[in-house]
Amino acid sequence: MNQELKPVSFAADGHPDEDQLLLALEQELPPDDAARVEKHLGNCWSCRARCEEMQRGILAFVEYREKRYLPLVPTPPDDTSGFRDRLRNFLEESSPVGLLTRIWRVLIGFVALQGQVKWVSAVAATMASIIFWVYVVGHPGVMAASELLTRAMAAQNPPVSAATGMSRHIVHQRMQIRSGNQTVVRDFQWTAGSPISQARWNGQSDLLSWSAPMTAEGFAGWRDSLRVKKDTVKRAGDLLTLDTATSQDLIRDAWIVMRAGDFHPVEQHLRFANDQRLDFVELAFEIDDEPQPAAEPLSAAAAAQAPFHPAGVPPPPNSAVPPPADLDEVELQLHYTLFQHKWDLGEDLVMGRTSGQVTLSGVVSSREREEEMRATLNALPNVRFLGELPAASDAHSAGLVRAVPAQRATPLLKDVIERAFPSRDGRLAFTDQCLADSDAALSHAWALKKLVDRYGESEEQLLKPDSDQKLFEMLRAHLQELNGASHGLSPLFDLLPSRGAGAEAIPATWRARILALFSAVQQQDRLVSSLVAGSQSDGQNLVTVSSNLRTAHETIYALLGGLKDLNGDHVAK
């Protein structure tokens, strides 16, 4: 090809484009540029795959021409002089044509050359046309990671048009989260066109501690926080996948899968530094119109006392306007109502906010409880209950449930329990009681963690004094119940063969102590299950598990001792 070649300059993403790869295949790059492309191909799987695909395309074209096309072409007549001129005149007289027809004319020009045909150039031009068709017209190119996330964020959180008037758009997402054999289903919601407040990842590999919806905004926030990262964008059929890997974060690898047609995310996967994984699958996504609530009509007495304003005349400047609801106080009252009815235990519920309202969404364990909660919570001012019943396929995932392996292992304490309880009924009663006490402790620890996560020091300062007292009333009650449930495990410790290593260090602040308490109770629950129910013990033997359980139990009591004076005056703060 007779053209001036400029030095190779890779695209902004650091990869050569199709033209540069094609010139490298044709060996028409200067030696330095060819060496640079060759070095890049040696280190980049993606570009090497693209180059090999081009080579296969060239080979397929040559084989088709030689084995199928040329044998069917009749022998040209002896007198072909003037054919090119006649063909050109014919094309010029025809109507305007599109881009593909112009490409075809170029190919005819090559084929109709008198004398020797320049087949190398013809093949190169043909392959350029094929590549243009496959990658530009029929298969849009893979875009940069930032552009992909921008489109995905717009698909999940579309901007609100002014034409919608007073209506608001509320996005509802139902998501399944899986970690190993454990699965939960959670519901999230946010206001379309506004930042998603809960989108930020908390970086915890624990399934029950994950509190963010599956959003491109959350993925982008994590990706933007990385100083060192490697992005890979792939397309398979109708799905696009963005994979971001790093070596400098607790999350080492994350990939988000979205539909190529509208860029809507449908899956997300995280791999942590400890090799644990969280897998997210979107089960449902919908956007509802939520009109602003109309003003309630005045009663006859109130209407008689209200000042008269003629139609079309604005009210006087000193007219009383009801103040907006304090949603911090509304949310605290909702927490307190759930606490009073014990609905904050064992239910997978998520609080959110819309304009002027606090919402409670999630899956409720039974129809009776759902009806009772709906009647009670919808009577609260500025509260909207959006709870649902679990589907038949995921009923086992609603609420806080114990993960049971597909293949149950032998309980580590099996022989000891059989010697201590000769009868089968006695063994079942002992096992059920241990699991019930452990579950109760974990439920209260989970309720404590939710309160601490929601009400940090700055958020607590926004509460009124009576609401602050309610917050500490809930904390003290859950601590007392947790203490009682942990004490119920005493018969189990009488059967353990070893002693613990002593309690772990106690954090300085009460909030940190509650978070450490949650971790210790969570570990206790897992170890109790492996001892009496046969859940996975990660290859540990009875002595090791027993020692770890004693250590966790002693840590729980040490932490409870450090929280015994917790009250509204912020002792141990």
Side-chain angles (χ1 to χ4, degrees):
M1 299 180 184
N2 297 325
Q3 61 179 7
E4 182 181 356
L5 297 176
K6 298 180 180 181
V8 170
S9 177
F10 291 167
D13 58 1
H15 299 277
D17 58 26
E18 279 76 14
D19 291 338
Q20 292 165 340
L21 292 178
L22 184 59
L23 290 173
L25 285 174
E26 291 292 329
Q27 298 182 357
E28 295 192 16
L29 287 176
D32 293 343
D33 293 341
R36 186 181 175 201
V37 173
E38 188 67 25
K39 180 179 179 181
H40 180 85
L41 292 177
N43 297 324
C44 180
W45 280 96
S46 177
C47 291
R48 188 155 63 247
R50 292 160 57 203
C51 189
E52 292 174 355
E53 187 173 358
M54 289 183 182
Q55 288 176 317
R56 290 194 295 269
I58 293 175
L59 178 60
F61 171 77
V62 173
E63 290 182 348
Y64 178 82
R65 177 184 176 277
E66 294 181 352
K67 296 182 179 180
R68 294 180 177 271
Y69 176 70
L70 289 181
L72 298 177
V73 175
T75 304
D78 295 336
D79 184 13
T80 59
S81 61
F83 174 75
R84 292 180 60 195
D85 294 335
R86 294 195 304 271
L87 182 61
R88 184 181 298 109
N89 293 334
F90 172 78
L91 293 176
E92 290 176 353
E93 294 172 358
S94 61
S95 59
V97 292
L99 174 61
L100 295 180
T101 304
R102 293 199 298 272
I103 294 174
W104 180 245
R105 288 181 181 178
V106 174
L107 295 179
I108 292 177
F110 280 117
V111 175
L113 287 176
Q114 295 182 356
Q116 182 179 3
V117 179
K118 297 181 179 179
W119 287 112
V120 174
S121 298
V123 169
T126 304
M127 284 310 305
S129 303
I130 294 174
I131 292 170
F132 175 82
W133 175 263
V134 172
Y135 286 93
V136 178
V137 179
H139 190 306
V142 176
M143 62 188 67
S146 58
E147 182 182 357
L148 196 62
L149 289 173
T150 299
R151 297 193 181 190
M153 285 189 284
Q156 279 191 315
N157 195 19
V160 178
S161 171
T164 58
M166 297 298 293
S167 64
R168 300 170 60 253
H169 299 297
I170 305 300
V171 180
H172 302 276
Q173 181 188 65
R174 170 166 288 188
M175 178 178 67
Q176 180 191 78
I177 314 176
R178 180 180 298 275
S179 178
N181 294 320
Q182 193 174 15
T183 302
V184 297
V185 176
R186 290 184 178 166
D187 291 271
F188 297 91
Q189 71 174 35
W190 58 87
T191 302
S194 302
I196 305 174
S197 59
Q198 67 269 44
R200 185 179 180 86
W201 296 357
N202 57 20
Q204 299 187 30
S205 60
D206 177 44
L207 174 71
L208 299 178
S209 300
W210 190 268
S211 58
M214 187 188 75
T215 62
E217 182 176 326
F219 192 101
W222 169 77
R223 178 180 173 273
D224 292 342
S225 69
L226 304 175
R227 296 183 58 186
V228 178
K229 57 181 174 288
K230 180 180 179 181
D231 294 321
T232 304
V233 180
K234 299 177 291 185
R235 176 166 181 168
D238 295 332
L239 296 177
L240 288 167
T241 301
L242 167 59
D243 189 338
T244 300
T246 183
S247 59
Q248 301 183 355
D249 191 72
L250 292 177
I251 301 175
R252 294 300 173 84
D253 193 11
W255 57 104
I256 185 169
V257 182
M258 60 194 73
R259 297 191 295 258
D262 57 2
F263 301 98
H264 182 89
V266 293
E267 294 181 23
Q268 179 178 280
H269 307 272
L270 307 182
R271 183 178 63 83
F272 293 81
N274 59 3
D275 287 332
Q276 286 188 291
R277 274 187 54 168
L278 288 180
D279 299 301
F280 306 80
V281 177
E282 187 177 79
L283 302 178
F285 183 91
E286 60 182 11
I287 301 178
D288 295 333
D289 289 335
E290 183 184 63
Q292 295 289 351
E296 296 183 1
L298 296 175
S299 63
Q305 298 177 1
F308 172 75
H309 295 295
V313 178
N318 59 352
S319 296
V321 178
D326 186 342
L327 295 188
D328 292 324
E329 293 294 321
V330 173
E331 185 173 342
L332 190 281
Q333 182 58 42
L334 177 56
H335 276 291
Y336 192 71
T337 304
L338 296 176
F339 159 74
Q340 289 178 311
H341 292 80
K342 299 186 183 299
W343 294 335
D344 56 345
L345 302 175
E347 301 290 353
D348 188 23
L349 302 172
V350 178
M351 290 190 187
R353 292 189 182 186
T354 63
S355 178
Q357 285 187 321
V358 174
T359 61
L360 184 68
S361 60
V363 179
V364 184
S365 56
S366 67
R367 181 175 298 278
E368 292 76 11
R369 173 163 290 191
E370 189 272 340
E371 293 175 351
E372 185 180 3
M373 291 178 69
R374 187 174 300 279
T376 301
L377 299 181
N378 283 342
L380 297 177
N382 306 109
V383 172
R384 183 182 180 189
F385 179 62
L386 302 172
E388 299 179 359
L389 293 173
S393 59
D394 56 15
H396 66 282
S397 300
L400 187 65
V401 296
R402 177 182 301 276
V404 180
Q407 294 183 349
R408 185 183 296 271
T410 302
L412 295 177
L413 209 60
K414 177 177 180 295
D415 295 338
V416 178
I417 293 176
E418 288 180 348
R419 290 194 297 268
F421 301 94
S423 69
R424 181 176 181 275
D425 291 342
R427 292 193 297 271
L428 290 177
F430 173 77
T431 299
D432 290 343
Q433 188 61 50
C434 289
L435 294 176
D437 289 333
S438 183
D439 277 340
L442 183 58
S443 295
H444 288 285
W446 184 245
L448 285 165
K449 182 180 183 300
K450 284 186 175 180
L451 291 174
V452 170
D453 287 342
R454 171 61 184 88
Y455 294 102
E457 186 173 352
S458 59
E459 290 81 5
E460 183 196 344
Q461 292 175 353
L462 300 175
L463 298 176
K464 296 178 180 179
D466 57 338
S467 295
D468 196 47
Q469 291 298 324
K470 289 180 179 179
L471 171 62
F472 280 87
E473 177 188 344
M474 291 186 285
L475 292 172
R476 290 193 300 270
H478 284 303
L479 289 170
Q480 183 177 357
E481 293 293 334
L482 192 156
N483 180 66
S486 294
H487 184 71
L489 293 172
S490 297
L492 172 62
F493 287 92
D494 294 338
L495 303 180
L496 299 184
S498 62
R499 302 182 62 83
E504 298 179 357
I506 305 301
T509 66
W510 68 265
R511 286 187 172 85
R513 291 176 185 176
I514 287 181
L515 295 178
L517 179 64
F518 172 77
S519 298
V521 172
Q522 200 173 30
Q523 182 184 18
Q524 173 181 265
D525 181 72
R526 183 171 61 252
L527 295 173
V528 168
S529 181
S530 65
L531 285 170
V532 304
S535 64
Q536 298 298 325
S537 58
D538 298 328
Q540 296 177 328
N541 57 28
L542 174 60
V543 174
T544 302
V545 173
S546 299
S547 176
N548 292 341
L549 178 57
R550 287 188 182 277
T551 299
H553 197 64
E554 292 168 6
T555 300
I556 290 171
Y557 276 109
L559 290 166
L560 288 172
L563 293 165
K564 64 181 180 180
D565 294 327
L566 185 65
N567 55 46
D569 296 328
H570 307 178
V571 172
K573 186 173 181 178

